[in-house]
Amino acid sequence: MFRHLGMKALLAFTLLFFAFIYVPIALIVVYSFNADPVNMMRWSGFTLDWYRQIFGLRNAASEAALYIETTEQLLAAVKNSFIVAFSTTALSTVLGTSAAMALYRHPFAGQRFYRVLLFVPMLMPDIVLGIALLIFFVGAGAQLGLGTIITGQTTFLTSYVFIVVSARLAGMDRSLEQASADLGASEWTTFRRILLPQLMPGILGGALLAFIISMDDLVITYFISGTNTQTLPIYIFGMLRRGIKPEVNALAVMMLVFSFAIAFAGLYLRNRKR
Amino acid sequence: MSTLRSRKRQQLALLLGPVTLFLGVFLLLPLAIMVVYSFLMPGLYGGVEWSYYPHNYGRILGFADPEFEVFDPVYLSIFARSVKIALITVALTLLVCYPAAFQIAALPDRWKNFALFLITLPFFASLIVRLFIWVLILRPTGFINLTLEELGLIDAPLDLLYTEGAVILGMVYIYIPFMFLPLYASVEKLDWTLIRASQDLGAGPFDTFRRIILPLTLPGIAGGCIIVFIPALGNFIVPAVLGGAKSMMLGNLIEQQFLAARNWPFGSALAMLVMAVVLLLLYFAIRQERADPAGSGRA
């Protein structure tokens, strides 16, 4: 009897747990279509105006309430975010994958050092890496901007790729590689035909993770982006500090949709690979 | 044989060279410079004077530079508040995730995978967006206050936003996946025959929990706590968005020193303080694991 009640309570608690995670997200989605320009949480009809406003389209509210600073500013931030995310993903995927392969294939003396080195950025609070990079870049006379953001993000994204690819390597069947070598395949052929195809899901997974984290990074980018270069998270952070406008709602919802779409794509890829 | 070895060495150099160079220049060097900076004298108009100056740490720990200032415990109190907020965040996420982990582990496979997916999904969503949602919910004209007013429960809006409570709520919200996953890993591995045996032998639910369940899931609990505590301690985004002047944390103080006050050496010393706490924590965690590699197998 009591056990039964306990089970019910546990189930109710778990449902509340999920409600806590998802009700806020549902709220913002619903209210991003709210027509009220003054109070975003008082429902006064359905509108797509805030979405239109983001893209700089004309809408009913634009005469009465011109909120958004400039669409160009937002689009520039989006563009910067994509430039940074693609560059850092490419760089960190190459660096992280080569590090993982080196540590897996060749036993050598400094392995422990490399493992620690590649774990450091993950265990370090973001803000510490952010300010260390700021001091370094300013001291080196670098112009803060896209270049410094890409370099700075790559230092910690490499670790993420390294960990994902290493996990894949650890679970791989080495006998295939040996068989290929025994059958007379050259090292390059073995790498291309045997190792790389097996490793690909790990590399893709690592790259996807790096891409998502890069798009979302706020703390480290905040310190090394300088005053003239904004990425999307920095732009939103600035908007929140200046005062909230209904367009942010719509923008937030579009970002949620985008990141969830990537997550779903990743899941789909993983399931298909099995 | 020697050519094989030299080729191996060549390969290794090719694979490791770029990453060594990159992380050496853009990770180790900056960290080393930060350590040096924390011992330098702040310049009058930003920048540094190249002379040894321990009083950056002194300003925090109690021996302020006698020429300029008297010791002000304000920095210690910000440090204490940061530790407090991080600890409360850890405790609350644990409290929320622990029961849920048991429920989800008991679900049939299909539901289990779906539930796990739902928990990891927010991790992919933008952090700033997830915090922004709480601004909309908590502010005076936000969802909670409007709802309460409409129901006639309050006359004037409650001060929910820009409080310590809001900061903690925001932290719990964003760190739930961090706590849940390690917890779940050890809950799922639980050997239920041990629990049944304990019950058969007459132990009450409390005894079974304390003597069997708790020790067996302890590695997950410890892992989750550390993974949440580290980013929570140095966080400056959550207090910047949801907190007010009274909920300033170490992260905000460091940001201020770097971008507003331009006292980089003092900011570096503060960052070193955060690092010291993190390293201490990791040291104990690793030592614990070494001492008990099976993950607390003795119940």
Side-chain angles (χ1 to χ4, degrees):
Chain A
M1 179 64 201
F2 281 114
R3 175 166 300 177
H4 192 66
L5 264 177
M7 299 288 262
K8 279 232 165 102
L10 190 60
L11 183 64
F13 179 88
T14 307
L15 289 176
L16 277 178
F17 170 75
F18 281 108
F20 175 61
I21 300 177
Y22 281 98
V23 166
I25 293 177
L27 276 179
I28 194 182
V29 173
V30 170
Y31 281 91
S32 70
F33 298 106
N34 180 14
D36 196 322
V38 182
N39 192 324
M40 281 175 251
M41 284 285 167
R42 196 186 297 279
W43 187 259
S44 63
F46 179 89
T47 182
L48 283 175
D49 281 353
W50 313 123
Y51 287 91
R52 280 186 209 171
Q53 201 125 316
I54 286 176
F55 293 105
L57 298 174
R58 268 158 53 85
N59 61 58
S62 61
E63 314 292 328
L66 255 180
Y67 283 110
I68 205 157
E69 283 102 272
T70 52
T71 311
E72 291 98 80
Q73 217 182 349
L74 169 65
L75 290 181
V78 172
K79 195 176 132 204
N80 285 339
S81 274
F82 274 107
I83 294 174
V84 168
F86 279 113
S87 321
T88 53
T89 302
L91 278 171
S92 59
T93 303
V94 171
L95 291 174
T97 304
S98 60
M101 290 203 327
L103 262 62
Y104 161 80
R105 297 190 57 143
H106 314 269
F108 63 99
Q111 267 182 330
R112 259 189 82 131
F113 167 77
Y114 278 96
R115 275 189 206 291
V116 174
L117 178 69
L118 283 152
F119 261 105
V120 166
M122 309 211 55
L123 295 171
M124 204 164 42
D126 291 352
I127 194 163
V128 177
L129 185 55
I131 62 159
L133 284 167
L134 174 66
I135 297 174
F136 173 75
F137 284 135
V138 170
Q143 176 80 40
L144 296 182
L146 284 180
T148 52
I149 299 176
I150 292 168
T151 315
Q153 285 193 2
T154 304
T155 55
F156 71 96
L157 292 175
T158 299
S159 300
Y160 284 92
V161 177
F162 171 77
I163 285 165
V164 175
V165 176
S166 293
R168 181 81 195 174
L169 277 166
M172 255 168 45
D173 189 359
R174 287 200 89 162
S175 58
L176 281 176
E177 247 179 281
Q178 275 149 15
S180 162
D182 290 347
L183 292 171
S186 74
E187 223 170 315
W188 170 242
T189 311
T190 307
F191 171 74
R192 200 165 48 90
R193 306 280 292 264
I194 306 289
L195 192 64
L196 204 58
Q198 281 193 85
L199 201 53
M200 219 46 200
I203 297 176
L204 279 180
L208 202 65
L209 191 65
F211 187 86
I212 291 173
I213 296 175
S214 168
M215 286 292 282
D216 188 30
D217 180 66
L218 178 54
V219 178
I220 289 161
T221 309
Y222 180 76
F223 284 100
I224 56 178
S225 60
T227 43
N228 298 321
T229 316
Q230 283 186 320
T231 59
L232 195 50
I234 304 263
Y235 177 79
I236 298 179
F237 186 53
M239 264 183 131
L240 292 189
R241 284 185 150 183
R242 285 193 301 273
I244 297 160
K245 298 150 189 181
E247 299 91 307
V248 193
N249 254 343
L251 184 61
V253 171
M254 290 193 326
M255 288 174 68
L256 283 174
V257 170
F258 177 74
S259 35
F260 287 170
I262 290 188
F264 277 112
L267 190 76
Y268 174 74
L269 279 177
R270 208 185 63 185
N271 285 345
R272 214 187 46 169
K273 283 274 152 44
R274 273 195 190 141
Chain B
M1 190 64 206
S2 73
T3 54
L4 189 68
R5 186 171 287 172
S6 79
R7 258 189 62 193
K8 281 237 148 119
R9 197 169 293 162
Q10 235 173 26
Q11 262 185 6
L12 196 64
L14 204 67
L15 286 173
L16 276 180
V19 78
T20 310
L21 194 68
F22 194 88
L23 292 184
V25 174
F26 297 115
L27 178 68
L28 295 184
L29 190 58
L31 288 176
I33 295 174
M34 186 189 80
V35 176
V36 173
Y37 255 58
S38 73
F39 288 104
L40 293 180
M41 193 177 205
L44 268 180
Y45 308 101
V48 285
E49 309 268 340
W50 284 90
S51 59
Y52 173 70
Y53 185 76
H55 297 294
N56 297 316
Y57 290 98
R59 271 178 93 181
I60 312 168
L61 300 174
F63 52 99
D65 189 336
E67 267 182 60
F68 300 116
E69 55 181 353
V70 287
F71 170 66
D72 187 344
V74 65
Y75 303 117
L76 268 184
S77 76
I78 291 175
F79 175 67
R81 182 189 301 133
S82 303
V83 173
K84 184 186 85 182
I85 290 180
L87 283 178
I88 296 176
T89 303
V90 166
L92 286 179
T93 44
L94 180 63
L95 211 65
V96 169
C97 293
Y98 199 57
F102 280 92
Q103 172 67 64
I104 290 166
L107 292 174
D109 271 355
R110 260 190 68 179
W111 284 100
K112 196 192 285 186
N113 289 336
F114 181 60
L116 286 176
F117 176 68
L118 283 183
I119 288 169
T120 37
L121 190 59
F123 175 77
F124 292 97
S126 163
L127 176 95
I128 192 77
V129 165
R130 283 181 288 154
L131 290 177
F132 161 67
I133 298 176
W134 283 103
V135 176
L136 287 186
I137 293 175
L138 296 176
R139 64 192 190 144
T141 56
F143 187 77
I144 291 181
N145 274 317
L146 275 186
T147 311
L148 289 177
E149 268 172 45
E150 224 127 278
L151 293 173
L153 291 174
I154 52 170
D155 296 324
L158 305 170
D159 279 325
L160 300 172
L161 191 58
Y162 307 132
T163 59
E164 214 171 279
V167 174
I168 292 169
L169 181 68
M171 293 239 197
V172 170
Y173 191 66
I174 61 174
Y175 291 134
I176 276 181
F178 289 48
M179 176 63 89
F180 186 87
L181 294 177
L183 259 188
Y184 179 78
S186 57
V187 167
E188 210 202 8
K189 273 195 307 203
L190 257 184
D191 186 355
W192 286 88
T193 53
L194 285 177
I195 294 160
R196 222 159 297 136
S198 149
Q199 285 166 343
D200 289 348
L201 292 172
F206 180 74
D207 269 335
T208 306
F209 178 75
R210 196 172 56 92
R211 298 224 167 154
I212 311 281
I213 300 178
L214 192 62
L216 283 179
T217 51
L218 207 55
I221 295 176
C225 289
I226 289 174
I227 290 178
V228 171
F229 185 84
I230 290 175
L233 182 69
N235 199 305
F236 91 93
I237 302 292
V238 180
V241 174
L242 298 174
K246 281 188 199 149
S247 45
M248 189 186 208
M249 291 175 67
L250 272 175
N252 308 82
L253 187 60
I254 295 173
E255 185 227 347
Q256 217 179 57
Q257 294 307 318
F258 269 87
L259 300 179
R262 295 196 62 79
N263 187 342
W264 290 15
F266 182 52
S268 300
L270 288 165
M272 292 289 291
L273 185 66
V274 176
M275 277 298 272
V277 176
V278 169
L279 288 177
L280 209 66
L281 202 65
L282 289 174
Y283 171 74
F284 281 117
I286 291 168
R287 222 180 56 164
Q288 193 67 34
E289 200 166 313
R290 288 251 169 86
D292 192 6
S296 218
R298 307 152 289 138

